[in-house]
Amino acid sequence: MRIPAKTSPAALRLARQPPRNRYVGAETDVFATYNFTRHLLGYAGYSHFLTGEFIDKTGKNKDSDFYYVAIQFTF
């Protein structure tokens, strides 16, 4: 197997010995929506990703958090 020169350590570990566990993780979301007008909807949310055994064995295993906000206009 040919490995590219710029390969991350996690990818090298995967190439040498793939993990047996395929559980990547789980995500929990909380969001809210609000109708400003008949045509304008807004929503915001928070997500938390819990890493599983697959990620723990192949790279950085920190959980991640992110927030998002969006506006939707309907014609």
Side-chain angles (χ1 to χ4, degrees):
M1 175 169 64
R2 187 170 181 269
I3 299 174
K6 292 184 179 182
T7 303
S8 71
L12 288 173
R13 281 192 297 270
L14 272 175
R16 288 187 203 123
Q17 183 178 13
R20 293 179 184 174
N21 193 327
R22 300 283 183 206
Y23 180 65
V24 175
E27 181 177 297
T28 301
D29 299 304
V30 176
F31 66 94
T33 61
Y34 183 77
N35 286 320
F36 294 103
T37 67
R38 188 175 129 208
H39 298 284
L40 190 62
L41 170 81
Y43 60 94
Y46 163 76
S47 296
H48 179 77
F49 180 75
L50 300 156
T51 59
E53 289 184 34
F54 180 82
I55 293 178
D56 291 344
K57 292 181 181 180
T58 58
K60 294 183 179 181
N61 62 350
K62 294 184 178 181
D63 295 347
S64 61
D65 298 296
F66 58 94
Y67 298 91
Y68 55 92
V69 176
I71 294 177
Q72 175 181 327
F73 182 80
T74 305
F75 293 97

